[in-house]
Amino acid sequence: MPDQTITSVSRESRVFKPSAEFKAQANLGSEVTYKRLYKESVNSPEKFWAKQANELLEWRKPFKKVLNWKVPHAKWFADGTLNVSENCLDRHLGTPLENKAAIIFEGEPGDIQTLTYKQLHREVCKFANGLQSLGMKKGDRAAIYMPMVPEAAIAMLACARIGVIHTVIFGGYSAESIKDRVNDCEAKLVITSDGGWRRGKIIELKATVDAALKKGVKCVEHVIVHQRTSNKVTMKKKRDIWWHDLMADSSSEHKAKAFAAENPLFVLYTSGSTGKPKGVLHTSAGYLLGTTITSKYVFDLKETDIYWCTADIGWITGHSYVVYGPLSNGATVLMYEGAPNHPEPDRFWDIIDRHGVTIFYTAPTAIRAFMRWGDDYVKKYSLKSLRLLGSVGEPINPEAWMWYHRMIGKKRCPIVDTWWQTETGAIMVTPLPGVTPAKPGSCAVPFFGVVPKILDETGQEVPKGEGGRLFLTQAWPSMLRTLWGDDDRFKKQYWSEIKGIYFAGDGARFDEDGYLWVVGRIDDVLNVSGHRIGTAEVESVLVAHPKVAEAAVVGRPDDLKGSALVCFVTLKSDKAASDDLKQALRVHVAKEIGAFARPDSIRFAPALPKTRSGKIMRRILKDIAAGVEVKGDITTLEDIKVVAALQASD
Ligand code: WTA
């Protein structure tokens, strides 16, 4: 049972209405139209989605059947065929869009590259031919481990073009994490770069791939290496190929094949409540429809926009709102390779002014970091090109919302606080910028076809204003289809908390106006700086250390990161606690998972608080980590003295 108290976080009661000016130009500016469409989308979902799918996507073979829903398995538009890459690229050729920028790239060192739709199409075709020349074919898996460079998007779109399932691995993951993911989906190919720039340093990606493949990976036949930083890399004969060599031999003509709507598009690993990450599977047409329609209405995306989503391509936000959604809408996407504070903490604002960014989508943790760095870095820039702001990844605290509104949006830009997940594929709950008045801290109202419900343990809806668990009760096109190779876990994880409806893993409440307030995860997943980290994942890495007997990991509220990682560790009886060992354990976790999972604090404890049946009582550890009084019943503890010992631990 979740043991987190769900409370309101709002201290800001103002409501911010869209301006008349914004409304007048919005893709959807009428409340009446929104209400009518929403009603249709939930009352006649098949009719609604059929119309949208025909309007927004290009089909090779039109579908007849809209939805086949055998809980929890959905098939959308199953008898139709299309090609996702063709929808993102080819359909803009021969239109006035073909010579406009699809991607404007800025590297951390300051190099800038623009790819028009025509040029991007050419690169994708060449790379698709290159992949085929290596024997890659429909259904094969390719892992992509790259920095934020156009080639990452090219690789994804080329895979999509030939029906190869991509699995993008965030560039911050360790060799061990790469190995687990590559092995789990049995990738035949890894696409990487020699390195990427981060805070003026080179992150050696190829070397990390080499280390991963030495750890007992048998499935990988080839590694394609894109040259970004020109650092020295070792190329293994026969296995490793330079990107530029492959491209030099490839034709730029490539006729895309049509694939069934339900053909798998990608697997994206995300943290769950056990040590093993879950491979979330998304398929083609439904996913593309979800990302296309939300890009159009939530970001009010137009062909004239310069749109910047700061998410890394290794996360779902990068998939849906750097690549598929915006490109299928024919937008111009800005991609930035590096850190927000390199060389100075004004880099983002400088980029916005120089490139004339109109839409900016980022995470609350970044906003809080900018607040901390100080307003002077922002004030140097006009930011006058901006017309819409977005937030994603975690609840945005009202203070950060207000700062974003005032300092970045200059009180002129609507803010869309978008709630969604790797599993949902696309935005589920959000204000519509030309329609919905925003309340700072609330992600507002459901998008088309989305029916959120807040339920208690017995499956009853809780009254407005009360907290409970968030469920989605209606199937939607971009929903995950299963977990790669583990349909049982899929059923158990999402569809059995309350049988037959989707459990999001979040705690939330509706207010009296029907606005949704998401509090955060109530399962054993932490949201650290907008990154999902499973507590069990960190625990299993800690107990694998030779000196550790037991470990329990919890989150502690943190002003900057949302949650900080606190690890309670019991050492083997003959091992001594020391500051050096603490440091070694932090490094160990960073090495095994990735630097973003480095614990904020390690606390050595003689024992962990367990019930008589041996279950760790995490709520006690959460209170201790937060430095607050231990609340609730502790009489079920096997040994009550443990609490005092834990409080004294450091
Ligand atoms: C959290 C990221 C509050 C939530 C797209 C969810 C949010 C998890 C919001 C998914 C938001 C995401 N307000 N919480 N606007 N957006 N979350 O899979 O806990 O990396 O379950 O997808 O992030 O994280 P994921």
Side-chain angles (χ1 to χ4, degrees):
M1 262 315 95
D3 55 16
Q4 180 160 329
T5 331
I6 295 164
T7 50
S8 160
V9 289
S10 175
R11 285 171 295 281
E12 173 60 64
S13 55
R14 273 176 292 172
V15 170
F16 296 82
K17 290 200 179 122
S19 67
E21 202 188 346
F22 191 94
K23 262 177 136 41
Q25 61 77 58
N27 285 340
L28 211 168
S30 143
E31 172 96 34
V32 178
T33 313
Y34 163 72
K35 284 202 167 134
R36 180 178 52 76
L37 286 173
Y38 180 74
K39 223 181 200 168
E40 186 189 320
S41 75
V42 296
N43 293 340
S44 320
E46 296 200 31
K47 186 169 153 224
F48 175 86
W49 286 118
K51 184 159 171 280
Q52 299 300 332
N54 283 318
E55 253 175 51
L56 295 173
L57 304 183
E58 261 187 27
W59 295 85
R60 286 282 190 87
K61 177 175 160 248
F63 56 89
K64 288 205 186 74
K65 176 104 189 94
V66 182
L67 173 64
N68 179 333
W69 181 219
K70 290 197 183 95
V71 184
H73 295 114
K75 288 190 183 136
W76 285 90
F77 319 114
D79 57 350
T81 69
L82 49 57
N83 184 294
V84 170
S85 148
E86 190 172 71
N87 268 272
C88 292
L89 302 169
D90 307 48
R91 78 155 131 171
H92 307 311
L93 304 185
T95 79
L97 298 187
E98 72 173 3
N99 290 324
K100 82 156 199 156
I103 296 179
I104 300 174
F105 166 71
E106 178 161 323
E108 199 187 67
D111 50 321
I112 291 171
Q113 188 194 353
T114 300
L115 284 162
T116 64
Y117 270 95
K118 213 173 182 176
Q119 290 166 328
L120 181 62
H121 173 261
R122 206 183 135 82
E123 294 301 300
V124 169
C125 286
K126 283 176 85 170
F127 198 64
N129 281 322
L131 292 176
Q132 281 173 331
S133 74
L134 294 176
M136 295 297 288
K137 54 184 191 317
K138 179 177 165 232
D140 288 344
R141 273 81 60 201
I144 299 175
Y145 183 70
M146 296 177 88
M148 279 297 282
V149 289
E151 286 75 7
I154 292 168
M156 290 163 78
L157 290 162
C159 287
R161 196 170 185 89
I162 60 171
V164 164
I165 305 168
H166 61 68
T167 187
V168 184
I169 303 171
F170 171 57
Y173 274 113
S174 64
E176 191 67 28
S177 298
I178 299 173
K179 179 203 81 179
D180 290 347
R181 286 156 176 75
V182 164
N183 275 343
D184 188 75
C185 69
E186 294 171 281
K188 270 170 78 175
L189 174 72
V190 180
I191 307 166
T192 189
S193 299
D194 49 359
W197 291 104
R198 191 86 191 164
R199 292 202 176 83
K201 293 205 182 85
I202 293 172
I203 308 283
E204 298 201 6
L205 299 169
K206 169 65 163 66
T208 309
V209 169
D210 289 342
L213 298 187
K214 276 198 195 122
K215 286 173 179 270
V217 174
K218 295 206 179 69
C219 46
V220 171
E221 293 169 11
H222 291 291
V223 178
I224 301 176
V225 188
H226 156 250
Q227 196 169 38
R228 166 71 190 139
T229 44
S230 299
N231 51 310
K232 203 169 167 336
V233 295
T234 329
M235 297 292 280
K236 190 168 169 186
K237 261 210 182 132
K238 292 201 177 128
R239 188 193 70 181
D240 299 353
I241 308 129
W242 284 108
W243 176 291
H244 49 260
D245 288 341
L246 188 71
M247 291 296 254
D249 296 337
S250 294
S251 150
S252 55
E253 301 285 319
H254 185 275
K255 180 87 195 94
K257 266 200 204 140
F259 295 112
E262 283 295 337
N263 200 47
L265 181 62
F266 65 85
V267 175
L268 184 60
Y269 287 88
T270 186
S271 293
S273 49
T274 71
K276 193 171 169 279
K278 303 178 285 194
V280 169
L281 178 75
H282 282 290
T283 57
S284 300
Y287 171 80
L288 189 65
L289 180 59
T291 53
T292 304
I293 189 173
T294 46
S295 298
K296 177 168 175 187
Y297 292 118
V298 179
F299 298 122
D300 192 43
L301 199 54
K302 315 248 168 57
E303 289 161 7
T304 44
D305 277 307
I306 300 201
Y307 159 91
W308 183 18
C309 164
T310 66
D312 192 278
I313 221 141
W315 309 113
I316 190 70
T317 310
H319 286 59
S320 301
Y321 299 111
V322 175
V323 181
Y324 293 111
L327 294 180
S328 114
N329 276 286
T332 296
V333 173
L334 190 126
M335 258 177 116
Y336 168 59
E337 177 188 30
N341 55 353
H342 188 85
E344 292 292 328
D346 63 352
R347 184 66 183 264
F348 275 18
W349 322 127
D350 184 36
I351 290 178
I352 290 174
D353 269 10
R354 269 190 293 109
H355 294 282
V357 171
T358 56
I359 302 174
F360 179 64
Y361 188 34
T362 195
T365 186
I367 298 168
R368 291 192 296 266
F370 294 128
M371 288 169 75
R372 189 172 280 194
W373 290 331
D375 296 357
D376 287 349
Y377 288 111
V378 188
K379 286 184 184 152
K380 291 198 281 178
Y381 300 91
S382 83
L383 305 182
K384 65 174 191 283
S385 54
L386 288 174
R387 65 179 196 90
L388 187 141
L389 304 175
S391 169
V392 61
E394 56 182 312
I396 179 164
N397 47 314
E399 297 72 22
W401 196 102
M402 289 306 301
W403 184 88
Y404 201 28
H405 169 70
R406 206 178 54 245
M407 284 305 295
I408 310 303
K410 311 292 182 200
K411 301 188 181 168
R412 157 190 92 234
C413 303
I415 298 180
V416 289
D417 174 0
T418 60
W419 177 87
W420 59 294
Q421 309 178 296
T422 304
E423 293 86 344
T424 68
I427 294 166
M428 296 280 105
V429 182
T430 175
L432 286 184
V435 175
T436 324
K439 296 187 185 188
S442 165
C443 53
V445 293
F447 188 72
F448 300 134
V450 177
V451 185
K453 290 246 177 349
I454 314 278
L455 306 178
D456 66 15
E457 275 91 64
T458 61
Q460 295 299 307
E461 242 178 288
V462 304
K464 280 185 176 161
E466 265 179 43
R469 296 168 308 156
L470 178 58
F471 290 83
L472 303 175
T473 61
Q474 191 163 296
W476 65 99
S478 64
M479 65 203 291
L480 80 164
R481 298 301 195 259
T482 187
L483 293 178
W484 183 261
D486 202 347
D487 199 52
D488 284 343
R489 189 172 176 195
F490 167 69
K491 290 181 188 147
K492 192 158 165 278
Q493 178 82 41
Y494 303 106
W495 302 94
S496 60
E497 191 79 8
I498 290 180
K499 207 167 163 36
I501 58 174
Y502 176 82
F503 174 50
D506 279 344
R509 69 181 170 89
F510 280 119
D511 69 14
E512 57 291 353
D513 302 322
Y515 274 52
L516 189 73
W517 296 76
V518 173
V519 181
R521 305 292 308 192
I522 50 174
D523 53 8
D524 293 326
V525 175
L526 298 177
N527 196 327
V528 179
S529 300
H531 298 328
R532 271 169 71 166
I533 299 175
T535 51
E537 230 171 301
V538 181
E539 285 162 6
S540 67
V541 164
L542 283 169
V543 296
H545 189 278
K547 293 189 176 165
V548 173
E550 250 192 323
V553 175
V554 296
R556 176 184 70 206
D558 183 272
D559 281 351
L560 195 61
K561 297 169 141 191
S563 286
L565 266 183
V566 179
C567 309
F568 291 91
V569 171
T570 317
L571 295 174
K572 289 184 179 155
S573 54
D574 57 334
K575 307 293 180 219
S578 69
D579 283 347
D580 282 352
L581 182 54
K582 268 188 192 174
Q583 187 51 21
L585 291 176
R586 295 177 72 232
V587 170
H588 171 69
V589 175
K591 188 168 159 283
E592 294 296 308
I593 300 178
F596 63 95
R598 185 190 301 267
D600 295 276
S601 143
I602 304 264
R603 293 174 69 157
F604 293 122
L608 297 175
K610 290 190 188 157
T611 60
R612 277 171 211 109
S613 59
K615 196 169 168 319
I616 293 175
M617 290 179 79
R618 281 167 191 284
R619 72 178 164 81
I620 294 180
L621 292 175
K622 279 184 199 163
D623 287 344
I624 293 172
V628 299
E629 194 193 331
V630 174
K631 296 177 287 282
D633 187 9
I634 53 168
T635 52
T636 49
L637 270 184
E638 189 189 28
D639 178 5
I640 290 194
K641 289 198 293 297
V642 166
V643 174
L646 283 162
Q647 276 163 333
S649 71
D650 68 2

